[in-house]
Amino acid sequence: MQKHIDKLPVSKIELLRKKLHKHNYLYYIKDDPEISDSEYDRMMKELIGLEKTYPDLSSPDSPSMRVGAPPLSTFVTTEHSIPMLSLDNAFDDNDLLEFDKRIKKNLNTSDEILYTAEPKLDGLAVELVYENGSLTKASTRGDGTKGELITENIRTIRSVPLILQTPNGIKTPDLLEVRGEVFIGHAGFKKLNQNQLANNLNIFANPRNAAAGSLRQLNSKITAKRPLGIFSYGIGKTTDILAESHWEYLCILKKFGFRINPLIKSGLTIKGAIECYKKISEKRDFLPYDIDGVVIKVDSLKLQQLLGATSRSPRWAIAYKFAAVQETTKLINIEVQVGRTGALTPVAILAPVNIAGVNVTRATLHNEDEIKRKDIKTGDTVLVQRAGDVIPEIVKVIDSMRTGNEKTFSMPAKCPVCGTEVVREKNEAVARCVNTNCPAQVKERLKHFASKAAFDIEGLGDKLVEQLVEKKICTSCADIFYLNMEKLKALDRMGELSAKNIIKAIEKSKKISFSRFIYGLGIRHVGENMAKILAKKYKNFDELASRHPEEIEAVEGIGPVAAESIFNYFRQDKNLKIINRIIESGVTVVYDSIKTKGAFEGKTFVITGTLETWTRNQVKKIIEFAGGHVSSSVSRKTNYLIAGKSAGSKLVSAKTLGVKIINEEIFQKILETSTELE
Ligand code: D41
């Protein structure tokens, strides 16, 4: 009997997809629909029906994927192939003229430089990866180096092409990484909050928070219901794209079907860019989405390349920010905080006030001179401003509100925490507590050390750190690694389980990259990015500690002040002792120069004899990290025997079986040169 086989509706599905892609583009990118919404919905319904019946024909590129995919359990992080740098800021015309001067000086030219000016969307930067014309990966900017994989969420955004358009048969590149800003417009934001309210859910303070919350949904079906949009502003890594300017890049992106902000202007001199900033500022209140400034970019890609970047941002771009939103409130008190480096920072305690959607209760006062200059007194009514993510600050005192009962502030002569004399060095605006053992400093150093970007010790939060320091259980970061159940259980509100979890988290943190370790030390002027640069440049602590300031300063991305600070840090015996104690506790540093990951994939090692520079456990951890395995006895399957001093019977067996024998020195060499073992 012959079975009846349904003819697969391949061409029908393909046609529907093609039509839906086209009408999606006409609606969301061109803003010029050809068919009614109900016609679109009907086609989509038909497609979804067919894909349900024939699951083998489903495809990640299908327009139906915009409704969301099955939920994830966690987000996976992913590395950007080219770091997504930040933008430097300009706050007035003069900053912009200085930027232009710097560029001319760097390029050693007096020729006019041409710029593009684009509205700076107040959303979240993302990267979209297209392989052979299809969207395969999308991620958040994250820390610039690594972001979270949010592919399914991005697919739900209607203005993101799932497949690249190829008008007039333009060739699709094998690889195209597109960068853009995801945001929620005003109308969508209003509707979303009405909806949240109606469903008894929290409302979002502002469109940016709403966009961030929507992108970070594990369930993309929720994201699909959020009114997210995107404007693309640049290209990351790519193949096959020939362009000479940023403007050309944008035109190519437009052809591929990306939404490009219509207010972008190119071919501007610096004066023209300032004019453009003014025009965009005037339009700001009428735009259907939030912008917080104008990004000015050198147009020529060749000049961009010549200018390069610092560790933080490209030298060829700057964000000219709009003046921040301001409110008035009462300054109730001025507290003095002691930071990680001993710097005393006066902080204004304010009567709570909502500024652009955020509840503000504190503002930084920077330093004593700033308070004097602005004539700020306790009890004053002050104008407070908040700009983007920046800590709120006081703009000025409202003189007319003074009653005469205001109190003048003076910096304490002694540290408010440890009582040590406060020192303010010549040419420095900050006063410092010079006692490096000051509990406030130790606490801040510990918090920094355990923070996410450093040793990332879960559970070692502010409250715990305060107790550990106050009870003198930890006087330095190294003490963290000598905590045990007994010490932890003696603390207030510490149960058996919490203590166990903390010990576990500490153990977990003991394998750490060189850059995180450097960052965790909290050396003045060494941030995350600089720590990464140092870890790439220097093999290990010995090498880093032996360098002179001039040598360190010669490294791209490191300035003279940081170089001096790094040099001084390693000249202090106390610091070297802390590093040694940390390493002695069993912390394994994975050096950048050691491209271990996968280098020992599938290889079996046996360790024998007495090792001199490593503990057996360290060697084991490194091998396992690199994908290898450590076994206790030599067999034919053993690839390598690491032989220390006075090796015995295992060495004999290895020789008889023809197993390759290496000593510690060779093991280290293999790691450092990242030679793949054959
Ligand atoms: O509209 C924006 N928010 C925007 C952000 C833009 N129009 N251009 C940008 N260009 C860059 C460089 C020059 C570094 C490629 C950016 C950003 N960066 C950016 N967004 C978030 C961090 C950096």
Side-chain angles (χ1 to χ4, degrees), residues 85-87 118-121 125 141 181 233 295 297 314 316-317:
L85 297 176
S86 311
L87 285 164
E118 41 196 80
K120 183 170 181 298
L121 266 288
R141 173 173 177 272
E181 196 86 357
Y233 64 70
V295 188
K297 298 176 183 174
W316 46 265

